[in-house]
Amino acid sequence: MSNDSTAQPVIDIPLIERMLAANPRDGGAWSTLGVLLRRAGKLSAAAACHARGVSFTPGHAGIWSNLGNALVDLGRYDEGIAAHRQSCELAAGTVTSWFNLAIALRKVGFFAEALEALDRGLALEPDNASLQWERSLAALQMGDYDQGFAFYEARRGIPAYRNRLPSGPAWDGGPLNGRRILLSTEQGFGDALLVARYVSLVKAMGGTVLFECHPELRTVLSGLPVDEVVTAGADYPAYDVYASLMSLPRLLGTRYDTIPAPTPITIPTAAREKAARLLGPRDGALRVGIVWSGRVTFADNARRATTLDRFLPFLEVPNTRFYSLQKGPPEAQLAELGTSALIPALGPQFDDFADTAAVIEQLDLVIMTDSSVAHLAGSLGKPIWNLVQHVPYWIYGYEGDRTPWYPSMRLFRQGRDENWDAVFETVKRALMEQAVSKTHG
């Protein structure tokens, strides 16, 4: 389901601009231009176009909804929610209006209200997979795992997810009695690390386990009790039943207070020796690894990530040594800020997650914004301070400084203003306390 109500991908911006030159009071054309500008990342201009649209066509529910989308993207949540509510009032029978309102409410943290909006939409279309999926995310964020995991299966009806799932008989969670079960991966590295903890429970059900694994994770997950590893993206071998890794929490009855311990991580001796060379001899200082961005192609990375310059005040804390675990394009910020001598760049030396894990194992602390490395450090049981956005990934819930998924992880949360300043000030104070403790410990 597109959350732009007048999306018309075959129409380009110059054509709409010509239409508006001929008729500048065409509210629908203004909103269509706004949709195209939003797709191009020009959010302020998009919001202005939609606002112009509703000024000429105030009774059009779709234009109000499009305005709400653009305002929410800009972080103007109160205005965006108000626009979505206006859309719902004008079109009480439009599923898209309720869907867009629910997304806006969830992004602010109004989960109960988001569920109410989704229920209104589901009353109109009970089988709508997008509404069910959004309901899953809101319920999981609230810690309602029974409802959340049940609706999580709705992703099978969403094209972006449907294409990643195998075909054939799906496992129902019961005894396998010698059958061959394929455990397929469908999402990113972090999700694979998160739910690898369930593989041993599946093996205990008495079957032959075929485990689909990203090549980058193969070494660190080599200790899992599987019978065959299938490279992610390769053709599947013969199997009797399958289960997506992300379906295992539901199939194995996970509740908030029954989450299995993280999976053990395998680190080869060669990786440990490499890490020792990269880090050098210990000198009594607090060794801290940092990561400031996840995968840049991830849709929500702009909200969960930040920039290296925010970490620089940490370098002023006495008795600390910092190491960059960052990989990908954001690595360039080390050279741009002139910090290469202050923060050795270890990311380019990592061939796979085993190299990263070996370094983390020899650090005292990891400070980072959320990404797959957080799952790796959490699985290793190393102290990790995860700096998370206002409404983060659902395993972190919505309040508190701990997550039951990773006992060694401490959470530092943004406020509703989504400002990182207060977060980094709090982290610096905590780091100073940690460094003093290290000095006198």
Side-chain angles (χ1 to χ4, degrees):
M1 175 187 291
S2 170
N3 63 354
D4 277 323
S5 302
T6 60
Q8 299 181 46
V10 297
I11 299 177
D12 60 14
I13 290 175
L15 173 61
I16 298 301
E17 290 175 337
R18 290 194 295 273
M19 291 174 60
L20 288 168
N23 181 10
R25 299 182 63 83
D26 186 338
W30 278 113
S31 193
T32 299
L33 179 57
V35 169
L36 297 174
L37 289 169
R38 181 182 177 223
R39 289 179 182 169
K42 300 174 181 179
L43 301 180
S44 294
C49 286
H50 293 311
R52 187 73 57 87
V54 296
S55 71
F56 293 127
T57 317
H60 195 297
I63 299 178
W64 278 104
S65 194
N66 289 342
L67 173 60
N69 290 339
L71 291 170
V72 167
D73 284 349
L74 286 166
R76 294 163 59 181
Y77 292 113
D78 290 341
E79 298 171 78
I81 289 170
H84 284 310
R85 290 195 186 282
Q86 180 66 22
S87 174
C88 291
E89 289 181 13
L90 291 168
T94 300
V95 169
T96 299
S97 294
W98 291 112
F99 175 72
N100 287 344
L101 173 61
I103 290 177
L105 290 166
R106 181 173 63 81
K107 286 183 176 181
V108 173
F110 296 161
F111 304 116
E113 292 181 45
L115 291 175
E116 291 176 6
L118 291 165
D119 284 341
R120 294 291 295 271
L122 286 167
L124 300 169
E125 292 186 14
D127 297 326
N128 187 295
S130 294
L131 290 170
Q132 293 174 349
W133 170 248
E134 187 63 25
R135 196 175 220 294
S136 165
L137 299 180
L140 289 171
Q141 202 87 49
M142 297 172 72
D144 183 351
Y145 284 4
D146 286 340
Q147 182 179 177
F149 287 135
F151 278 99
Y152 202 82
E153 295 304 300
R155 70 195 188 285
R156 299 171 180 274
I158 299 173
Y161 284 91
R162 186 192 304 132
N163 297 334
R164 307 178 205 173
L165 297 168
S167 58
W171 184 46
D172 62 3
L176 289 164
N177 299 321
R179 288 179 295 172
R180 291 167 61 86
I181 180 170
L182 170 68
L183 300 181
S184 66
T185 189
E186 68 184 80
Q187 300 185 28
F189 298 138
D191 292 308
L193 288 165
L194 172 71
V195 294
R197 68 188 73 201
Y198 290 95
V199 173
S200 60
L201 301 179
V202 176
K203 181 61 179 175
M205 303 297 283
T208 298
V209 177
L210 316 175
F211 178 63
E212 184 182 21
C213 184
H214 300 282
E216 297 88 343
L217 294 173
R218 187 160 185 163
T219 300
V220 294
L221 296 180
S222 62
L224 293 175
V226 304
D227 299 285
E228 183 178 342
V229 176
V230 180
T231 301
D235 293 338
Y236 294 133
Y239 58 89
D240 298 307
V241 292
Y242 83 91
S244 164
L245 286 172
M246 293 304 294
S247 293
L248 294 181
R250 176 187 66 85
L251 290 167
L252 295 170
T254 302
R255 295 193 173 181
Y256 197 79
D257 57 352
T258 63
I259 298 168
T263 191
I265 296 296
T266 298
I267 305 176
T269 299
R272 287 193 169 104
E273 293 172 347
K274 179 179 178 179
R277 291 194 300 271
L278 291 172
L279 293 170
R282 286 189 174 273
D283 60 1
L286 188 74
R287 288 178 161 183
V288 184
I290 60 171
V291 180
W292 55 94
S293 177
R295 192 175 70 250
V296 295
T297 55
F298 178 66
D300 204 36
N301 194 61
R303 278 196 168 87
R304 69 175 181 173
T306 185
T307 50
L308 173 61
D309 60 292
R310 288 192 176 275
F311 286 77
L312 298 189
F314 298 166
L315 302 178
E316 302 167 10
V317 177
N319 200 37
T320 58
R321 297 283 183 274
F322 288 86
Y323 304 88
S324 169
L325 311 181
Q326 183 68 53
K327 289 187 72 66
E331 288 176 18
Q333 295 175 34
L334 288 162
E336 291 167 2
L337 295 175
T339 59
S340 298
L342 291 165
I343 310 174
L346 304 188
Q349 307 297 321
F350 298 156
D351 295 324
D352 62 10
F353 276 86
D355 286 342
T356 310
V359 166
I360 291 173
E361 185 183 50
Q362 297 181 39
L363 296 174
D364 298 304
L365 174 66
V366 176
I367 305 176
M368 62 179 298
T369 56
D370 193 35
S371 75
S372 58
V373 175
H375 297 271
L376 184 64
S379 296
L380 286 165
K382 295 295 294 186
I384 172 173
W385 294 356
N386 198 359
L387 286 48
V388 294
Q389 66 198 85
H390 177 53
V391 178
Y393 188 41
W394 58 266
I395 68 167
Y396 306 128
Y398 186 56
E399 52 189 10
D401 66 352
R402 298 291 172 179
T403 168
W405 292 88
Y406 295 115
S408 68
M409 183 180 291
R410 180 178 176 185
L411 301 171
F412 293 80
R413 300 178 183 273
Q414 280 185 340
R416 186 181 165 189
D417 60 3
E418 298 185 336
N419 192 309
W420 285 115
D421 292 345
V423 175
F424 277 84
E425 289 170 6
T426 301
V427 172
K428 185 176 181 181
R429 289 194 296 270
L431 182 62
M432 293 183 71
E433 294 173 4
Q434 190 86 351
V436 169
S437 176
K438 174 76 171 175
T439 302
H440 300 291

